[in-house]
Amino acid sequence: DTAVSQTPKYLVTQMGNDKSIKCEQNLGHDTMYWYKQDSKKFLKIMFSYNNKELIINETVPNRFSPKSPDKAHLNLHINSLELGDSAVYFCASSHLGTGVSNTIYFGEGSWLTVV
Amino acid sequence: GIQVEQSPPDLILQEGANSTLRCNFSDSVNNLQWFHQNPWGQLINLFYIPSGTKQNGRLSATTVATERYSLLYISSSQTTDSGVYFCAVEPFNTDKLIFGTGTRLQVFP
C-alpha cells in the first residue's frame, strides 16, 4: 500500500545506454514530479505534470523525457546515459494549489549509477 | 530565483539534547514544508507550514512569513532523528518546491 512507488530502486548501467524509471502514486493526486538529488544531497526539480499535462520543465538535457500515461503514473526515460547522470531520482506527487492538501509526498528514490 | 539557505549545515548532538534548525528564504512564498531524509535516503514529510506554529510530538515548527524564515525545533533528540533536514518553499505563481541546502544532523547515544 505504498503511496508513491518507483522502480527500479537501484540501477547500474553503462554510458550510452537508454534506461527508464517508473513511478506510480495511489494518493489520488493530480500532480506528479521528478526531482534529482546529486552527490552533495542537493535536490532540484526536473519536471512536473498536472493531469497528464507538462507544467514544469526545468533546464534539463533533452535526453531526459518524461511521460505521463495517466495522472497516477509518471515515467522518466533517459537516453544516451552519461557519467554525470549518476544521482538519486525521486518521484513525488501532490495536489496542485494551496493549502495543506498541497503537501508533497516522495517515493523512495531510484539510485542510478552510470559506469 | 529564490534563495533558500539553511543553518547550521552540520549539527552533532548527544541523545537527549534539543536543537533549532533555521531556514531563510529570499522572497515571499505560498508554501513551506520541512522534510527529514533518513540515512536510508527516504524523504519524510514533517510539516506543511507556510505560516504559524505546529507541533508533532518532539518536533515543532514555526514560520514567520513576513520575515522570511522558518524554524524547526527538535527536543530530546534520539539517534533515529539522524539524517538531513530540508526545508522547501514554493514561490508564488510557480507550482514548484525549491529545496534548501539542508542541515545534516547526527545524534550519538
Side-chain angles (χ1 to χ4, degrees):
Chain A
D1 59 346
T2 305
V4 182
S5 59
Q6 31 182 132
T7 55
K9 189 172 175 70
Y10 299 102
L11 185 54
V12 180
T13 188
Q14 289 190 321
M15 280 175 56
N17 283 351
D18 303 339
K19 290 294 177 187
S20 292
I21 308 171
K22 296 186 176 182
C23 180
E24 175 181 4
Q25 55 95 4
N26 62 5
L27 296 167
H29 289 155
D30 56 11
T31 304
M32 296 184 72
Y33 312 82
W34 279 109
Y35 278 80
K36 179 180 179 180
Q37 187 171 41
D38 63 22
S39 57
K40 294 182 180 178
K41 296 288 191 183
F42 186 61
L43 269 157
K44 191 172 190 308
I45 190 167
M46 300 171 69
F47 301 103
S48 172
Y49 272 73
N50 174 252
N51 286 318
K52 303 192 299 176
E53 298 295 324
L54 181 67
I55 58 171
I56 293 172
N57 184 352
E58 295 294 288
T59 49
V60 177
N62 57 16
R63 299 182 294 103
F64 290 77
S65 53
K67 282 191 173 49
S68 182
D70 55 62
K71 68 178 186 177
H73 295 84
L74 179 61
N75 303 323
L76 182 65
H77 188 76
I78 315 171
N79 289 329
S80 304
L81 279 154
E82 300 177 357
L83 293 177
D85 297 331
S86 296
V88 185
Y89 292 86
F90 284 95
C91 177
S93 72
S94 74
H95 283 298
L96 199 63
T98 59
V100 71
S101 62
N102 192 217
T103 301
I104 191 169
Y105 293 89
F106 283 85
E108 294 191 340
S110 294
W111 270 252
L112 172 65
T113 302
V114 183
V115 297
Chain B
I2 195 169
Q3 303 298 311
V4 186
E5 298 287 337
Q6 292 184 239
S7 59
D10 293 281
L11 189 55
I12 300 174
L13 297 174
Q14 194 155 26
E15 218 169 15
N18 302 329
S19 60
T20 301
L21 282 58
R22 187 177 180 102
C23 172
N24 291 332
F25 43 98
S26 60
D27 205 349
S28 299
V29 300
N30 214 14
N31 176 0
L32 187 147
Q33 297 181 34
W34 281 96
F35 295 87
H36 174 219
Q37 187 167 36
N38 65 23
W40 297 270
Q42 284 182 298
L43 275 162
I44 309 297
N45 199 303
L46 297 176
F47 293 104
Y48 172 90
I49 187 161
S51 63
T53 298
K54 288 186 178 179
Q55 179 148 11
N56 184 1
R58 295 180 298 102
L59 272 58
S60 64
T62 294
T63 298
V64 184
T66 52
E67 297 186 25
R68 299 181 185 167
Y69 73 88
S70 184
L71 301 173
L72 178 69
Y73 305 96
I74 305 174
S75 64
S76 304
S77 56
Q78 300 176 358
T79 55
T80 51
D81 295 331
S82 297
V84 183
Y85 289 81
F86 291 101
C87 74
V89 302
E90 180 189 316
F92 283 109
N93 301 317
T94 64
D95 296 323
K96 61 182 176 183
L97 274 182
I98 308 297
F99 277 76
T101 47
T103 292
R104 184 183 301 272
L105 173 64
Q106 296 178 75
V107 181
F108 291 96

